[in-house]
Amino acid sequence: MNNDLRIAVSLKTVSKSFKTGGETVNILNNADLEIARGGTLAITGESGTGKSTLLHIAGTLLKPDKGAVRYFENTDIYSLNDKKLSKFRNESVGFVFQFHYLLNEFSCLENVAMPLYIKNSQKSKALKEARELLGELGLGHRLDFKPYQLSGGEQQRTAIARALIGSPEVILMDEPTGNLDPFHAEKIHSLIMDLNKKYQRTLIVVTHDEDFSNMMDEKIKIEGGAIRRIN
């Protein structure tokens, strides 16, 4: 991969609609977007405008009706077959959602190491990297705890560690602090931005929180199926 490439993710003339009942709802209509490598982008706006849809399309989770999504100016990722697309997603993209989606039958440490297990990494290496990340996020004393034994903030920090493991180029977050009280949400916001500065990942976040969105390099809204830059 050429590290000189400037654009991390680009969407070109992307359209997406859904059918509900007998009605077709157009979410995106020939939308264009470019996200700089190592940059931070907030997707803002009212509920139901397509923020999560845009994030899922950018994150290889939802195929657009038309248009192209490219990472690092390579080929359209949706032209890949399912096996290659899954491999690309596992290696290049990290996800954090509003609900942490941790597995209660596994420890905090095992949950974070799971993406490396899926890549068939050596178990000792996976656990070492997971242990280091959790320590960096202030969870070194929670390694053997199950997710249900953690607080909401600790669960979300664990989810962030899981997203970072394996050094994916792009991190996508969908309302990562939507379930937290303002005090703990603010702490997670600061943590996310500090980690982004340290690791220089491309960060794309859906958020309703104005203070959090103001920390990003760029902010956008979806209006009438088009993407509008706010700053």
Side-chain angles (χ1 to χ4, degrees), residues 142-153:
R142 294 285 191 261
L143 300 180
D144 296 324
F145 281 49
K146 299 292 179 66
Y148 61 85
Q149 296 174 309
L150 303 174
S151 69

Side-chain angles (χ1 to χ4, degrees), residues 40-60:
T40 58
L41 175 78
I43 305 172
T44 67
E46 302 298 322
S47 297
T49 56
K51 299 187 301 298
S52 293
T53 297
L54 174 59
L55 190 77
H56 291 174
I57 289 173
T60 77

Side-chain angles (χ1 to χ4, degrees), residues 128-174:
K128 180 176 183 292
E129 186 172 341
R131 190 176 292 108
E132 289 173 352
L133 268 174
L134 286 165
E136 187 170 355
L137 271 67
L139 292 169
H141 60 307
R142 294 285 191 261
L143 300 180
D144 296 324
F145 281 49
K146 299 292 179 66
Y148 61 85
Q149 296 174 309
L150 303 174
S151 69
E154 289 172 337
Q155 289 170 343
Q156 223 32 358
R157 278 186 279 158
T158 303
I160 291 168
R162 182 181 57 187
L164 287 170
I165 201 165
S167 302
E169 291 278 355
V170 178
I171 307 292
L172 298 106
M173 299 186 174
D174 195 351

